[in-house]
Amino acid sequence: PRSTLFPYTTLFRSGLCCALEELKLSRDNVAGIGDAENDHVFLDSCGCAVAVANSVPTLKQRADIVTNGTRGAGVIELINRLIDNDLS
C-alpha cells in the first residue's frame, strides 16, 4: 500500500541507502533507471542515472545515459550494456 507518511521518492532513496549499507557497496556501484518526474531523487542517489527513451525531458537532460528503447525495451538495453561492458 502507498505510504501516506513519505513520498515514493523518499522511500526509493532510503531503500537504496539501506540496501547499499547492508551490502557494503557505494552508490557508485549502482545504475538506476527511470522515466518520470518522481525518479529524479532516486537517480540522484545512483552512480549512473539512466533514462529510458520515453522519459520526461527533464529526466533525460540530467541522465548519464538515455536508452534508445522505451519502457521495458530500454531496461533490456541497459541490462545488455551492463553484461557486455559494465557501462564503460
Side-chain angles (χ1 to χ4, degrees):
R2 183 173 217 182
S3 170
T4 56
L5 298 175
F6 301 105
Y8 278 130
T9 55
T10 302
L11 296 175
F12 287 152
R13 186 190 335 224
S14 61
L16 175 61
C17 290
C18 288
L20 291 175
E21 185 176 319
E22 180 73 23
L23 297 169
K24 296 181 179 23
L25 293 173
S26 163
R27 70 178 207 89
D28 295 333
N29 298 107
V30 176
I33 192 164
D35 66 352
E37 290 291 340
N38 67 327
D39 293 320
H40 281 279
V41 173
F42 169 65
L43 294 182
D44 286 343
S45 302
C46 299
C48 180
V50 181
V52 291
N54 61 296
S55 296
V56 294
T58 55
L59 199 67
K60 287 197 242 183
Q61 290 170 352
R62 62 100 32 231
D64 299 308
I65 296 170
V66 178
T67 65
N68 293 316
T70 62
R71 299 176 179 77
V75 175
I76 291 168
E77 182 182 329
L78 172 63
I79 292 168
N80 287 334
R81 190 166 172 186
L82 283 165
I83 291 169
D84 291 345
N85 61 24
D86 198 27
L87 296 180
S88 54

